[in-house]
């Protein structure tokens, strides 16, 4: 492969647009979660998500991108691209040669990957809602964006990473984003503890219309997330886009049917939750499956994630807005189903899953990648959370929690009487 | 003069207002309130978890009327607000010692 792959203008245009689409998902997530908390905590939720857009963008440019995509070591990147040095004019990025050569400017790739780095720690806010101190949150996700995210991104996304080398597939971040954030959310919640009054008093969502608005923004942005991950404007991007739509649609239907049968009503929150569960599950699969596989993946994820809701009451951890049930479990469902449904006729750089004549080989690799991501993220995040808890403390005081994060952390209220 | 206070289901407010006008009431005051009676709230379901919502939204209606209108007004509220189902609300009547119209300073029934 020559050092200078020609830039494809169509691909570049699509990836630049996809950057904006993926960025938009973070405020979408803010509204998705913001609607589900009590009214005294809605600004606390919104600002935590928005802060990720500020803090993680800077960290990504300074050191995150370099740790994720620099050098040829298979465990971790290096400091070659610190402060984005030499990226703009790099003939290619490490590992992105041959079949993996980029046809977009390296800076477009930096920006696109930045948006993933931004939204991933923001997903944790749903688990820690209503009680995490703002300063502790900022340190937590700052440390996480340096110590956890780039490592997993390197393992899975970089062609030099060890899980990539093993042949594990993750098209748009089922492991890097969803299993990673879900495992981190579990670790933080275990250190942080439960909300005061959890399971004794009602904590119903204060504004489900916000949640539906947020779902719409997430769904819209997810086309950039998944179809943009083709890194080209081509048939693969189109395949990823239709897969995304079908999985979200069928997961929403599955969730609604199950909750109607189990609890008696099809709910607005259920429709929103089901759609997001389907979007999560299709993320790793989007560019590797075809036909009606996305519908099966959507249906399975809708049902499995619904039943995963009860994990928190069974095991007694207060994952406030069900990040573990939707993102960790949904991510695992997608990663494992990819081992069954992957199809090389869709993407020659992929593999054949069990149902397409590839045997159990790919499924084994998917289990390995999922387990490695889950364990690494959980352990390192747990250590970060314990260190913060022992120093400045993770939680707000009881009084501040009762008053609400809006007033106690930010001296604002969302709604004037 | 009497103060009639009624707590009714919110969607019955328009019916009650029309019935009171027909019964001769000059004006009414309405506020949105929450509370529970024997109905004891209702349940809501979020992601499979059931919550008992104790304080149910209601509308409180207050009118001051001349003694001669009280029975007609109470009956108007009762028949307009009734659905026959649990949670229809309550009406109570209390004595009013004085009433003053702010603009003119009139007192008693003239102030109504």
């Amino acid at each position: 492969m020559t050092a200078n792959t020609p830039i494809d203008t169509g691909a570049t245009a699509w990836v630049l647009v996809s950057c904006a689409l993926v960025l938009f998902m973070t405020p979408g997530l803010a509204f998705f979660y913001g609607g589900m908390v009590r009214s005294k905590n809605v600004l606390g939720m919104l600002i935590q998500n928005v802060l990720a857009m500020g803090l993680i963008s800077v960290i990504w440019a300074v050191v995150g991108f370099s740790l994720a995509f620099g050098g040829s070591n298979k465990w971790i990147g290096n400091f070659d691209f610190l402060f984005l040095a030499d990226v703009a004019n790099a003939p290619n990025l490490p590992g992105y040669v041959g079949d993996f050569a980029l046809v977009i400017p390296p800076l477009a790739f930096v920006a696109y990957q930045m948006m993933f780095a931004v939204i991933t720690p923001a997903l944790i806010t749903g688990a820690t809602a209503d009680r995490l101190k703002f300063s502790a949150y900022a340190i937590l996700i700052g440390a996480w964006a340096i110590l956890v995210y780039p490592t997993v991104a390197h393992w899975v996304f970089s062609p030099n990473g060890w899980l990539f080398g093993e042949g594990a597939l993750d098209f748009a971040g089922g492991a890097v984003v969803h299993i990673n954030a879900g495992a981190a959310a579990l670790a933080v919640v275990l250190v942080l503890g439960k909300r005061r009054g959890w399971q004794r008093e009602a904590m119903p969502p204060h504004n489900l219309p916000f949640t539906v608005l947020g779902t719409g923004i997430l769904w819209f942005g997810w086309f950039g997330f998944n179809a943009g991950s083709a890194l080209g404007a081509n048939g693969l991007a189109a395949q990823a886009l239709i897969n995304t739509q079908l999985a979200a649609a069928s997961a929403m239907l599955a969730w609604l049917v199950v909750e109607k049968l189990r609890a008696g009503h099809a709910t607005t929150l259920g429709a929103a939750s089901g759609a997001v569960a389907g979007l999560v599950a299709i993320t790793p699969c989007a560019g590797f499956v075809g036909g009606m596989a996305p519908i099966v993946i959507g249906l399975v994820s809708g049902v499995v994630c619904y039943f995963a809701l009860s994990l928190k009451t069974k095991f007694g951890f207060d994952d406030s807005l069900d990040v573990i049930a939707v993102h960790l479990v949904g991510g695992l469902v997608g990663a494992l189903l990819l081992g069954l449904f992957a199809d090389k006729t869709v993407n020659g750089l992929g593999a054949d899953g069990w149902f397409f004549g590839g045997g159990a080989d790919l499924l084994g690799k998917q289990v390995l990648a999922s387990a490695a991501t889950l364990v690494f993220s959980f352990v390192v995040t747990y250590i970060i959370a314990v260190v913060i808890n022992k120093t400045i403390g993770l939680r707000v005081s009881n009084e501040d929690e009762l008053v609400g994060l809006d007033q106690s952390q930010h001296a604002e209220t969302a709604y004037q009487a | 003069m009497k103060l009639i206070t009624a707590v009714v289901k919110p969607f019955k407010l328009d019916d009650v207002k029309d019935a009171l006008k027909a019964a001769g009431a000059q004006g009414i005051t309405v506020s949105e309130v929450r509370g529970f009676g024997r109905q004891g709230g209702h349940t809501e379901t979020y992601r499979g978890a059931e919550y008992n919502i104790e304080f149910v939204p209601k509308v409180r209606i207050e009118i001051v009327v001349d003694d001669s209108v009280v029975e007609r007004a109470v009956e108007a509220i009762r028949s307009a607000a009734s659905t026959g189902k649990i949670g229809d609300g309550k009406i109570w009547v209390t004595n009013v010692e004085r009433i003053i119209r702010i603009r003119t300073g009139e007192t008693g029934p003239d102030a109504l």
Side-chain angles (χ1 to χ4, degrees), chain A residues 293-358:
Chain A
I295 294 184
V296 179
I297 292 164
L299 292 174
V300 172
S301 62
V303 173
V304 172
C305 291
Y306 176 86
F307 283 100
L309 293 176
S310 62
L311 289 173
K312 65 176 181 181
T313 40
K314 212 165 279 170
F315 293 100
F317 59 89
D318 181 10
D319 170 15
S320 309
L321 312 179
D322 302 304
V323 177
I324 287 143
V326 175
H327 294 276
L328 179 56
V329 174
L332 289 170
V333 166
L336 300 182
L337 288 181
L338 183 54
L340 307 181
F341 288 103
D343 179 355
K344 272 189 97 160
T345 63
V346 170
N347 184 343
L349 297 178
D352 278 325
W354 208 335
F355 294 169
F356 288 83

Side-chain angles (χ1 to χ4, degrees), chain A residues 59-408:
Chain A
I59 289 175
W60 185 251
V62 171
V63 60
F65 177 75
S66 193
L67 284 174
F69 292 100
S72 56
N73 184 287
K74 67 182 195 173
W75 302 106
I76 181 74
N78 64 13
F79 295 115
D80 283 355
F81 296 137
L82 219 56
F83 300 102
L84 299 184
D86 305 325
V87 175
N89 299 315
N92 55 49
L93 295 172
Y96 287 90
V97 292
D99 287 342
F100 307 112
L102 296 173
V103 294
I104 59 173
L107 279 183
F109 183 75
V110 170
Y112 184 62
Q113 290 294 336
M114 176 190 281
M115 305 315 169
F116 285 63
V118 165
I119 195 169
T120 306
L123 292 168
I124 299 170
T125 60
T128 57
D130 301 2
R131 60 208 190 276
L132 181 59
K133 204 193 294 184
F134 186 61
S135 53
Y137 168 75
I139 294 168
L140 173 76
I141 64 163
W144 200 83
I146 296 168
L147 300 175
V148 180
Y149 184 83
T151 304
V152 177
H154 184 76
W155 290 359
V156 178
F157 281 163
S158 168
N160 288 332
W162 75 278
L163 288 170
F164 192 103
E166 291 287 334
L169 299 179
D170 185 1
F171 193 71
V176 177
V177 175
H178 298 289
I179 296 175
N180 197 1
L186 181 60
V188 179
V189 159
L190 292 179
V191 181
L192 179 64
K194 302 158 192 170
R195 285 170 292 177
R196 286 171 56 92
W198 183 56
Q199 291 193 307
R200 288 197 311 278
E201 57 188 72
M203 299 176 176
H206 90 284
N207 190 335
L208 285 180
F210 274 177
T211 300
V212 175
L213 174 71
T215 305
I217 296 173
L218 284 170
W219 192 329
F220 174 79
W222 226 294
F223 293 126
F225 203 88
N226 286 355
S229 288
L231 298 175
N234 50 30
L236 187 60
Q239 181 72 60
L241 190 144
I242 190 84
N243 287 347
T244 302
Q245 179 70 8
L246 290 176
S250 52
M252 177 171 82
L253 298 178
W255 189 299
L256 287 173
V257 168
V258 175
E259 77 173 355
K260 173 73 183 166
L261 294 175
R262 297 265 306 175
H265 297 278
T267 66
T268 312
L269 181 56
S273 311
V276 173
L279 290 164
V280 169
I282 199 64
T283 295
C285 313
F288 296 118
V289 303
M292 293 296 107
I295 294 184
V296 179
I297 292 164
L299 292 174
V300 172
S301 62
V303 173
V304 172
C305 291
Y306 176 86
F307 283 100
L309 293 176
S310 62
L311 289 173
K312 65 176 181 181
T313 40
K314 212 165 279 170
F315 293 100
F317 59 89
D318 181 10
D319 170 15
S320 309
L321 312 179
D322 302 304
V323 177
I324 287 143
V326 175
H327 294 276
L328 179 56
V329 174
L332 289 170
V333 166
L336 300 182
L337 288 181
L338 183 54
L340 307 181
F341 288 103
D343 179 355
K344 272 189 97 160
T345 63
V346 170
N347 184 343
L349 297 178
D352 278 325
W354 208 335
F355 294 169
F356 288 83
D361 192 40
L362 178 60
L363 184 59
K365 293 167 181 171
Q366 296 303 104
V367 171
L368 173 70
S370 302
T373 301
L374 201 163
V375 170
F376 175 79
S377 175
F378 182 87
V379 170
V380 179
T381 311
Y382 194 90
I383 294 168
I384 296 171
V386 167
V387 169
I388 296 174
N389 204 30
K390 297 253 190 229
T391 49
I392 65 163
L394 280 173
R395 266 188 103 106
V396 297
S397 69
N398 284 345
E399 195 187 327
D400 285 354
E401 189 176 342
L402 283 175
V403 169
L405 298 182
D406 297 6
Q407 233 184 78
S408 72

